[in-house]
Amino acid sequence: MKFLGQIAATIIGLFLFCMIAFFGIVIIGAIFGSQEETVSIKDDSVIELDLSDVKLDYAGRVNFSDFNYFKAEHNGVTDVINAIKYAKTDSKIKGISLVNPSNELGIVQVKAIHDALIDFKKSGKFIYAYADYFSQKEYYLCAPATRIVMNPVGEMDFKGIAAELMFFKDLQDKAGVKMEVIRHGKYKSAVEPFLENGMSDANREQMTTLLQSLWNAVATDLCADRHLSLSQINDIAATLGARTPQKAKAVHLIDQVAYEDQFNDLIRKELKVKKDEKIHSVSITDYANHVATTPDEESTDDTIAIVYAQGEISSGEGDVNVIAEGAMRRALRKAREDEDVKAVVLRVNSPGGSALTSELIWRELELTRKVKPLIVSMGDYAASGGYYISCNADKIFAEKSTITGSIGVFGIFPNAAALSSRMGIHSEVVSTHPQAADYSPFRPIDPFFKAYAQESIERVYTIFANRVAVGRKMTFAQVDAIGQGRVWSGADALKIGLVDAIGGLDDAIVEAAKRAKISKYQTQDYPEYEKSLSDLFQQMGLPFAKTSSQIIEAELGKENYRNWTKLKKWSQQKGIQTRLPFEIQF
């Protein structure tokens, strides 16, 4: 038996040794062998502009603190735009192709790439686009193309934009579960579905103005792209005048009706290669990685820091999808204390979130602004908490389609007292002090608690509005008149003084350099996120490292998982929220 035990111990020891060796090799490989792979760019190449893997402005830089290993990703919108700029003068790149383009980007992000394509065309190089089906967003991306081709039996969805809101007041009455709402601002429409059975006049006014402004921004660009008038674009949308390839060609939204193989022959002809010859191509993400890892010949110490604030605002460390005080405050301090950093650009793409975290980040930005120029560039969203952290900048840029403002505060307390009573459930409380038990969803809301909550809401709103008043050089009354939770487009925000200029990230960087009085400079992206060894295992896709969220996504599918995460986020919200009341998808 002792002999068998020794054999078993030996086998187990060998097994453990092999496992440790295996994971040791994996980790060493990750540390030393996962340097950015160089992509060989062949002569007469075409960039394939596939954005399906591009999700965010900033793809992120991570420090795996367990062994001081840094990893930077280069598949963000900013990387794509830098790659398109580089391709403009790259002799090996002859053009760009878009084939059945699809993406999950916001309209402002798409506009940034759309504008980069317009600039690329100035080089004389071609841009060809093809699709079996065009959604409005994908068509907007392709509109600058020198030639747009569509499948003979394809479709185009071109009909303007609309919003549908659901209301739950009657459902609450029938179910016995009531949402107790406390808010400041008649426009804070996030809570309106729990109070009414239909849209209020104030909310209808807000949504109508917003949607019209967003559509006009896109339609104006399309007019320039396709040499059409605004009335022509609107007529096409109103009559579904581009719903078939033939109709789309007749109204000049596309140039040719053909199959994909015929489209590829058009590119071969442009490249002057034979019909049976292979087209040399490189994906935009590979090319972006190539550009990002190519040393800049003109080096300079002067730096402009670009700090990306993207995602919902929450507490903790944060990552590329979540703005949190950990990474953000660390990034701002580092940029502020670095003598080579001459100015800071804050790129905001956020619908808001935690009021407390917004205040913590605001304070760090205020300290930064006192020693270095601070410029804000707004992306798709800079609303509620997203505007809170933007309002004290020296200058604010937004696109015409940027969702901004929403200066308002709300709180929601679900109350199931009626349902529990109906079900025969009763609760009683024993406490040392009248308010020790706090709020209970199983008892009617206490008037004292409601007054206390309203006081908290008013206090946060007052602080928020005062931050805006000081930052934008307005009075509190002026801010309150355009606040109260109202959402504005960037174009309208410019008219009322919430932003200073219409422009993108490049415009903000140029302004930062101007204020810092530098002509030659490099840019440095922030934040750098702290991760652990287990996070690295997950990133490498090891089966045992999969999180519950990854498993759920695999089971539910992407769309259902997205809805599930929204519900989960709402259930996890703590404290007072400064948050955009809806999500817009173009």
Side-chain angles (χ1 to χ4, degrees):
M1 292 297 290
K2 185 177 180 180
F3 174 70
L4 292 174
Q6 289 175 336
I7 292 177
T10 302
I11 292 172
I12 292 171
L14 287 170
F15 175 76
L16 291 174
F17 172 78
C18 291
M19 291 294 290
I20 292 170
F22 170 75
F23 289 117
I25 292 170
V26 169
I27 294 170
I28 291 170
I31 299 172
F32 300 106
S34 68
Q35 303 301 319
E36 308 294 348
E37 295 181 7
T38 55
V39 177
S40 176
I41 312 298
K42 298 180 180 179
D43 291 335
D44 299 328
S45 287
V46 177
I47 293 175
E48 294 179 344
L49 194 63
D50 179 2
L51 302 176
S52 56
D53 291 330
V54 180
K55 312 293 184 187
L56 304 161
D57 286 340
Y58 172 48
R61 178 176 169 86
V62 177
N63 173 25
F64 293 100
S65 53
D66 296 283
F67 37 83
N68 198 30
Y69 166 58
F70 293 89
K71 182 172 178 59
E73 299 287 350
H74 303 298
N75 60 345
V77 172
T78 305
D79 300 300
V80 168
I81 292 171
N82 289 339
I84 293 173
K85 289 178 183 176
Y86 190 89
K88 186 179 175 183
T89 57
D90 187 343
S91 60
K92 292 186 176 182
I93 299 298
K94 301 302 179 185
I96 294 174
S97 72
L98 299 92
V99 178
N100 290 319
S102 66
N103 65 79
E104 297 180 20
L105 300 174
I107 192 63
V108 170
Q109 293 172 315
V110 172
K111 176 180 170 51
I113 300 172
H114 166 279
D115 292 352
L117 292 175
I118 291 175
D119 182 64
F120 175 84
K121 277 204 306 183
K122 295 176 183 177
S123 66
K125 299 179 181 183
F126 69 86
I127 304 173
Y128 279 9
Y130 168 88
D132 297 321
Y133 168 83
F134 273 119
S135 73
Q136 292 186 121
K137 184 169 67 171
E138 271 72 50
Y139 178 75
Y140 179 51
L141 173 67
C142 296
T146 46
R147 194 163 195 81
I148 302 177
V149 181
M150 195 171 174
N151 188 297
V153 292
E155 292 182 64
M156 181 180 288
D157 179 24
F158 194 85
K159 58 189 179 187
I161 53 178
E164 181 180 10
L165 283 72
M166 299 180 70
F167 297 85
F168 312 107
K169 186 175 183 297
D170 282 351
L171 175 63
Q172 292 177 101
D173 294 340
K174 292 177 181 178
V177 178
K178 179 184 179 184
M179 291 299 200
E180 296 287 356
V181 172
I182 302 171
R183 62 173 172 170
H184 181 107
K186 63 181 179 179
Y187 291 103
K188 205 65 182 178
S189 55
V191 296
E192 191 173 87
F194 305 117
L195 301 174
E196 307 290 344
N197 284 321
M199 195 181 297
S200 65
D201 291 341
N203 195 19
R204 185 175 296 279
E205 173 200 351
Q206 169 184 233
M207 292 302 298
T208 301
T209 303
L210 178 64
L211 293 180
Q212 192 61 56
S213 183
L214 296 179
W215 172 255
N216 286 343
V218 172
T220 301
D221 283 345
L222 294 179
C223 290
D225 294 331
R226 301 303 298 173
H227 307 292
L228 297 169
S229 68
L230 186 58
S231 62
Q232 287 175 306
I233 289 290
N234 284 326
D235 184 63
I236 295 168
T239 62
L240 301 181
R243 59 188 181 273
T244 68
Q246 294 73 25
K247 289 181 181 294
K249 186 173 185 296
V251 297
H252 307 294
L253 288 191
I254 68 170
D255 303 295
Q256 186 172 344
V257 178
Y259 291 99
E260 188 176 347
D261 59 289
Q262 295 171 311
F263 169 79
N264 290 329
D265 288 339
L266 291 173
I267 293 180
R268 288 189 178 91
K269 185 177 180 181
E270 191 75 48
L271 296 172
K272 296 181 174 59
V273 300
K274 296 178 181 178
K275 209 169 184 181
D276 58 347
E277 195 172 334
K278 184 180 179 182
I279 298 171
H280 297 312
S281 63
V282 57
S283 72
I284 186 62
T285 49
D286 283 344
Y287 189 71
N289 184 65
H290 165 75
V291 171
T293 54
T294 299
D296 188 355
E297 294 179 0
E298 296 184 11
S299 60
T300 176
D301 290 335
D302 288 345
T303 302
I304 294 177
I306 305 175
V307 182
Y308 290 87
Q310 54 191 25
E312 294 195 2
I313 300 175
S314 186
S315 60
E317 166 64 16
D319 58 27
V320 291
N321 297 296
V322 176
I323 304 166
E325 71 270 16
M328 286 296 296
R329 295 174 76 184
R330 193 167 59 246
L332 290 166
R333 288 169 187 165
K334 189 172 182 180
R336 186 168 69 239
E337 295 167 4
D338 188 337
E339 293 182 358
D340 290 335
V341 173
K342 305 303 181 183
V344 176
V345 173
L346 179 70
R347 172 66 172 184
V348 180
N349 200 350
S350 171
S354 166
L356 175 58
T357 303
S358 299
E359 170 70 13
L360 295 174
I361 296 172
W362 174 90
R363 176 59 181 170
E364 209 66 53
L365 286 161
E366 183 69 8
L367 294 173
T368 302
R369 188 180 66 85
K370 289 179 180 179
V371 295
K372 294 180 181 180
L374 173 64
I375 310 298
V376 163
S377 166
M378 293 178 171
D380 281 283
Y381 295 94
S384 283
Y387 190 77
Y388 195 133
I389 65 175
S390 305
C391 66
N392 60 339
D394 295 314
K395 189 167 185 176
I396 300 176
F397 287 84
E399 293 288 5
K400 291 180 180 179
S401 302
T402 299
I403 306 299
T404 187
S406 193
I407 303 166
V409 187
F410 69 89
I412 299 178
F413 302 90
N415 190 282
L419 175 62
S420 60
S421 178
R422 189 183 304 162
M423 299 290 292
I425 301 172
H426 307 281
S427 68
E428 289 191 13
V429 175
V430 177
S431 62
T432 58
H433 296 77
Q435 303 304 318
D438 208 354
Y439 174 76
S440 170
F442 301 108
R443 301 192 311 276
I445 190 167
D446 178 76
F448 183 90
F449 175 83
K450 191 169 186 177
Y452 159 74
Q454 185 69 51
E455 179 186 291
S456 297
I457 294 291
E458 296 298 335
R459 182 175 65 88
V460 173
Y461 180 80
T462 300
I463 294 171
F464 188 175
N466 276 322
R467 298 284 183 248
V468 176
V470 173
R472 304 305 300 159
K473 297 178 175 59
M474 296 178 174
T475 65
F476 180 90
Q478 287 173 319
V479 174
D480 192 44
I482 59 177
Q484 299 195 47
R486 179 157 185 173
V487 178
W488 304 89
S489 69
D492 289 332
L494 177 64
K495 297 174 185 176
I496 60 176
L498 288 180
V499 305
D500 298 298
I502 298 298
L505 179 58
D506 283 348
D507 297 299
I509 294 171
V510 170
E511 179 67 20
K514 179 182 175 182
R515 289 179 180 252
K517 298 179 181 178
I518 55 176
S519 56
K520 286 181 62 179
Y521 54 87
Q522 62 182 347
T523 60
Q524 176 65 48
D525 294 339
Y526 296 87
E528 179 183 287
Y529 304 103
E530 299 284 349
K531 298 293 180 183
S532 65
L533 181 61
S534 61
D535 295 319
L536 177 59
F537 284 151
Q538 290 177 28
Q539 191 176 50
M540 292 187 296
L542 296 179
F544 69 85
K546 281 192 175 182
T547 63
S548 59
S549 296
Q550 291 170 320
I551 296 170
I552 291 170
E553 181 178 5
E555 291 298 321
L556 295 179
K558 283 189 175 182
E559 187 62 35
N560 291 330
Y561 176 73
R562 192 177 297 117
N563 293 331
W564 178 81
T565 54
K566 289 175 186 174
L567 289 172
K568 184 179 178 183
K569 284 177 182 177
W570 273 92
S571 68
Q572 292 175 338
Q573 288 171 16
K574 294 181 179 179
I576 294 172
Q577 301 290 304
T578 51
R579 178 182 299 274
L580 186 69
F582 47 76
E583 176 182 293
I584 289 183
Q585 294 184 357
F586 189 84

